[in-house]
């Protein structure tokens, strides 16, 4: 089996507003738009097993969409003498777009056993949340931050659900949630 990495492309345009600030903390909100593209590829080969023969399965499930985005963000100074801060941010998007999915199954002896594809329009709510620490230089011209981020894409078609729907004969994959999480790091120079 081979599950290829999930390429994820995003472009975000935000207008940020500072809601409250003092020497030890600040918080604000943002409004904007998000473009999102998600590609899921899966390939499996089931080796020769008499009397069936070698079987291969290849699937693709891609999403492309755009929609509004809103978020909250804040930061608190932890140690004023060294510029260390804690930050948090979260956002919600509603990407309107379409899924394009395909499935092909071939057998060494029988040839093509199944081939199908679907196109479905869906609204995909996307929630992002991030927490971390940041160091900011005196004068706030340099900022280095690191944290942990979690993102969830709701009402999605994932590879497992697509394969199961085809093999069960329904060809209508359920609404699944795809999650991403991991460490983040950023370096900024501000003028």
């Amino acid at each position: 089996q081979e599950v290829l990495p999930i390429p994820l492309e995003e472009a975000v345009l935000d207008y940020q507003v500072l809601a409250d600030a003092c020497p030890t903390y600040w918080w604000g909100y943002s409004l904007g738009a998000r473009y999102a593209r998600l590609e899921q590829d899966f390939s499996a080969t089931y080796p020769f097993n008499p009397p069936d023969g070698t079987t291969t399965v290849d699937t693709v499930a891609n999403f492309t969409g755009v929609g509004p985005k809103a978020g909250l963000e804040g930061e608190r100074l932890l140690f004023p003498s060294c510029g260390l801060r804690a930050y948090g941010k979260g956002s919600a998007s509603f990407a309107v777009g379409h899924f394009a999915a395909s499935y092909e199954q071939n057998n060494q002896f029988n040839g093509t056993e199944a081939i199908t594809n679907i196109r479905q329009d869906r609204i995909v709510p996307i929630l992002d949340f991030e927490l971390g620490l940041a160091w900011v230089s005196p004068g706030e011209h340099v900022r280095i931050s690191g944290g942990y981020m979690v993102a969830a894409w709701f009402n999605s078609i994932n590879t497992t659900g697509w394969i199961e729907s085809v093999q069960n004969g329904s060809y209508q994959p359920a609404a699944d949630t795809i999650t991403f999480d991991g460490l983040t790091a950023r370096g900024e120079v501000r003028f």
Side-chain angles (χ1 to χ4, degrees):
Q1 291 186 48
E2 180 182 7
V3 178
L4 301 177
I6 298 176
L8 179 63
E9 298 174 11
E10 291 188 303
V12 175
L13 179 64
D14 274 340
Y15 176 75
Q16 294 185 318
V17 176
L18 185 62
D20 190 20
C22 73
T24 58
Y25 73 88
W26 68 265
W27 74 273
Y29 60 90
S30 62
L31 298 172
R34 168 185 252 155
Y35 163 82
R37 178 168 170 75
L38 175 67
E39 296 181 6
Q40 304 172 82
D41 297 326
F42 173 83
S43 179
T45 301
Y46 303 96
F48 180 80
N49 185 13
D52 298 330
T54 300
T55 300
T56 60
V57 173
D58 295 293
T59 69
V60 173
N62 297 335
F63 173 77
T64 304
V66 65
K69 177 181 177 286
L72 290 172
E73 186 173 351
E75 192 170 86
R76 180 160 184 85
L77 188 60
L78 297 176
F79 299 104
S81 60
C82 66
L84 189 63
R85 304 166 184 216
Y87 72 89
K89 57 173 128 180
S91 69
S93 304
F94 298 91
V96 178
H98 69 275
F99 277 92
S102 65
Y103 177 100
E104 184 173 348
Q105 180 173 317
N106 293 294
N107 178 269
Q108 176 182 3
F109 301 125
N110 299 333
T112 300
E113 294 180 322
I115 186 167
T116 189
N117 60 62
I118 63 165
R119 298 202 184 290
Q120 280 189 354
D121 294 331
R122 291 191 181 194
I123 296 174
V124 176
I126 303 170
L127 298 180
D128 299 297
F129 186 70
E130 183 178 341
L131 288 174
L133 296 174
W135 174 82
V136 180
S137 69
E140 299 193 6
H141 294 297
V142 176
R143 176 187 169 90
I144 299 171
S145 63
Y148 189 75
M149 184 193 81
V150 177
W153 292 44
F154 299 93
N155 196 29
S156 297
I157 296 174
N158 71 22
T159 300
T160 304
W162 172 230
I163 292 171
E164 288 174 359
S165 73
V166 172
Q167 291 178 346
N168 292 330
S170 73
Y171 302 99
Q172 293 299 319
D176 288 313
T177 300
I178 300 172
T179 58
F180 303 93
D181 68 319
L183 298 174
T184 65
R186 292 183 190 84
E188 301 174 36
V189 177
R190 299 177 177 182
F191 299 97

